[in-house]
Amino acid sequence: MLVLITAMFLFRSNKKTYTVEDFEDNKEILDKYRKKCENGEIDGDSLNCQNSHKAMIGLSRPTNTGKWTD
């Protein structure tokens, strides 16, 4: 039973974890993950949701020069 639980965890967590900097550098990935986090497709407590949220906050600060533009 423990082997099954461990295997499920490993396969489930096999997705890439993006850093705040990854999200700040790539608006498409940021937008994609923000949508998934907001609609519940990804657990809001996941590291990707936390990092994408931090990136959004960082990019919205008036003193930030921004890494991408619309």
Side-chain angles (χ1 to χ4, degrees), residues 13-58:
S13 62
N14 198 16
K15 295 181 181 181
K16 177 167 175 44
T17 300
Y18 293 97
T19 64
V20 173
E21 292 78 20
D22 291 333
F23 285 118
E24 288 177 342
D25 290 341
N26 191 320
K27 185 179 184 310
E28 290 177 20
I29 293 173
L30 176 62
D31 290 343
K32 174 183 169 182
Y33 274 86
R34 288 310 310 146
K35 287 177 187 173
K36 288 183 176 187
C37 295
E38 290 171 3
N39 72 19
E41 189 175 336
I42 299 175
D43 181 7
D45 291 332
S46 73
L47 194 52
N48 277 331
C49 287
Q50 291 175 20
N51 287 345
S52 65
H53 181 74
K54 289 176 187 176
M56 285 294 295
I57 291 171

Side-chain angles (χ1 to χ4, degrees), residues 3-17:
V3 173
L4 178 61
I5 292 171
T6 303
M8 289 173 54
F9 175 77
L10 291 174
F11 286 117
R12 185 172 158 230
S13 62
N14 198 16
K15 295 181 181 181
K16 177 167 175 44
T17 300

